[in-house]
Amino acid sequence: MDDPAEKLTVARRRDALLTPASRTVAELLRTAPVLGRADMTVRQAAALMTDRGQDYVVFPVGDRCHAVLTDGDIRAKVVAVGRSADTAVGEIVDGPAFVVDAGAAPMDVLTELVDRDLTVVPVCDVDGGVLGVVGPGDFVGDPAGASMPLREQISRSGSVEELQGHARRVPQLVADLVRRDRPAHEVTRVTSLIVDAVVRRGLALVVDERAGLDPGAYTWLSLGSNARREPVLSSDVDSAVSFDDSLGVEEIARYRTAFGELDDVLRGAGLGVDTNGAVASKPLFSRTHAQWQAGVRDWVDRPLENKGMIFLSLMLDGRPVGGVRPGSATPSGAVTAALRDDPATMRLLLAESLSTKARLRSMRDMLTGRGGVFDIKQHALTPVVNIARWAALSVESTVLDTRGRLRAAAGSEILPAEQAATLIEVFDVLQRVRLRYQVAQFDRGESPADLLEMKRLSPLDRSLVAQAVREVAGIQRRMANMSHFLPGTERPADQQVT
């Protein structure tokens, strides 16, 4: 019989039920929106802001489209450049603003607000009418905004030591969210926002302020689980960099040296950085734009050579984090475009995606006496991530997170809606078990890991994991059978995936 003392459990907070797991951004609205007109002057807009006690004005700029003028816009685009206060606000804003639907999840809206570096985001009803706006402060009282105070402290860190001190609080934040019984995808999304903030501030302190290095000469890409916004306590920070073609070999070498120092800073901040993996300090993952383009063409043309399949999968998850300029191309975008025009390589990529089988134990585990240890990442979650990545690519979706990719591909020929829903549910269950296990390890002073000792799981969690693996394995078999009917030119025999 299992020893209850050996079980890894996490106590739920007493107030966990006070906040429902599912909310909408409309519930965060507190005041009526400040509405104006495109032909009103900056002077009139400023007076309206003052009268309403707000720092923005929203006004229509077309059918169901809106623009936003903020107090910051007035300072930067009018006062700082000596522009007349009688200028029409429509001449100052940069086109339609990013808006969200009233039914959007707060965590999704917060992510967009942070990624786009916005002050406010208009919230619209089904008819396109503005119900109100939300800014960073509106999320403080919501679980989605649990990361905001820590993110702010990280972003304001004046030294590497201060940055590391703040970043080392990430496990406590994750543990608190798990104890609040927040959905797994919300916990990992919050974690990714913190990791992004650490990386951005680390780049500013270690790389961008160094003499001779231009912050505008590179685009930093997050790879792996953090790029998909799915990191847990055991996740590494994978990265790549795309340099301007104007940089020479010696200049690039100086950047790589600085990136290596950043790796050390991140480790000191409590984040995992695998020097044997995908890191921007290594030549394989720090190239010029032209070199990335050439690499992409080579991987697509010869996917079974020079680790082409591995690079294609890695770069498909690439998400720009720092040094991004409007309109700049990224390796991930180049991979997506190239694969869409090459059905043969798409078929090979599908076969490679299905090659990591969902299973509870392997023959090696049984022969080595490790049958009671389960690698939840390798043998359960990675198969789902791989399926989602390929399925989204097949329907030309640019979504990166696994749940979003599965929703985007739901109903396609390769992934029926029912099976997509099953995979989303399975992914959520597995991530929840994984997070709770790792938080329990953290509480006990153990290093969070993806190797689960099955005897330390509750009977319910063991049953859930077993059922999840069976569901994924069944869908993998169906997709493998369906792959034979997908269009595409066959590769020569010596290039077939075995």
Side-chain angles (χ1 to χ4, degrees), residues 95-110:
F98 172 76
V99 302
V100 297
D101 183 79
M107 191 70 248
D108 293 339
V109 178
L110 178 60

Side-chain angles (χ1 to χ4, degrees), residues 219-395:
T219 296
W220 181 278
L221 297 170
S222 177
L223 304 178
S225 59
N226 190 59
R228 299 190 304 272
R229 300 204 178 281
E230 296 160 1
V232 294
L233 295 181
S234 62
S235 299
D236 287 336
V237 178
D238 297 326
S239 59
V241 157
S242 186
F243 293 110
D244 278 356
D245 294 326
S246 60
L247 294 184
V249 175
E250 293 184 359
E251 290 176 291
I252 289 176
R254 288 198 292 271
Y255 279 94
R256 287 173 180 157
T257 298
F259 294 150
E261 293 180 20
L262 176 61
D263 290 343
D264 292 335
V265 169
L266 296 179
R267 291 189 192 95
L271 302 178
V273 180
D274 182 5
T275 54
N276 294 319
V279 287
S281 54
K282 301 298 181 182
L284 279 177
F285 293 93
S286 54
R287 315 181 185 201
T288 65
H289 300 327
Q291 288 170 339
W292 278 116
Q293 293 282 350
V296 168
R297 287 193 297 269
D298 185 55
W299 300 330
V300 172
D301 292 340
R302 296 181 295 176
L304 300 182
E305 298 179 18
N306 300 319
K307 300 182 179 181
M309 284 293 184
I310 295 176
F311 274 103
L312 289 173
S313 295
L314 276 171
M315 300 318 298
L316 280 170
D317 287 350
R319 176 171 60 83
V321 170
V324 186
R325 289 164 300 173
S328 62
T330 63
S332 53
V335 170
T336 301
L339 283 173
R340 287 172 180 166
D341 297 328
D342 196 313
T345 300
M346 279 287 289
R347 290 187 62 177
L348 287 177
L349 188 61
L350 174 59
E352 179 70 12
S353 297
L354 297 175
S355 65
T356 301
K357 304 297 183 183
R359 57 190 178 187
L360 276 177
R361 58 182 59 87
S362 66
M363 182 61 70
R364 178 183 298 177
D365 292 333
M366 300 184 68
L367 291 175
T368 58
R370 296 179 61 221
V373 177
F374 176 60
D375 190 331
I376 192 171
K377 175 183 177 182
Q378 180 68 15
H379 296 314
L381 286 162
T382 295
V384 180
V385 170
N386 289 345
I387 289 173
R389 181 188 296 114
W390 190 92
L393 183 64
S394 71
V395 296

